[in-house]
Amino acid sequence: MVATGVALAQTGAPSTDAAQARALEKLARERNCMTCHATDRTLLAPSYREIARRYAGKAGAVDEISRSIADGSRGKWGNLPMPASPQVAPDEATRLANWILGMAH
């Protein structure tokens, strides 16, 4: 497994491809996700590892995280709402959700 997170294919199969993990981290930066989130520490919002641990093994986790990325959320992590991310395409939200979930380990 890659120390920075394991990218997951849409099939849910783990990929140890470090280049893919770097590409997804770059996508998160380009889409402004990392303005509020970091991989391993809380900024304005929970770390990706914390999110991954909360959703690890939960049925429908990819869809739930993808929806939160696209539509935003309120009350899941305290009082600070997560704004919607219209700049993130649906397939990107799914890829980012899989990448985040791969950080549970």
Side-chain angles (χ1 to χ4, degrees):
M1 300 214 152
V2 178
T4 60
V6 176
L8 296 179
Q10 287 187 355
T11 62
S15 168
T16 57
D17 184 359
Q20 185 178 8
R22 284 191 304 273
L24 287 165
E25 183 172 346
K26 181 179 181 221
L27 176 64
R29 288 184 192 287
E30 290 172 348
R31 298 301 185 262
N32 300 319
C33 303
M34 297 186 83
T35 300
C36 298
H37 296 278
T39 303
D40 55 2
R41 61 188 169 90
T42 299
L43 295 177
L44 291 174
S47 73
Y48 290 136
R49 290 192 201 289
E50 188 176 356
I51 295 166
R53 284 191 296 268
R54 178 181 279 190
Y55 289 93
K58 183 177 178 183
V62 170
D63 290 337
E64 188 171 345
I65 294 171
S66 296
R67 271 192 309 278
S68 290
I69 292 168
D71 302 335
S73 67
R74 181 177 292 278
K76 289 184 177 183
W77 296 90
N79 294 328
L80 188 65
M82 179 173 160
S85 302
Q87 75 278 15
V88 179
D91 68 306
E92 292 174 336
T94 299
R95 291 187 352 239
L96 289 168
N98 277 311
W99 174 65
I100 292 165
L101 286 169
M103 294 184 201
H105 308 288

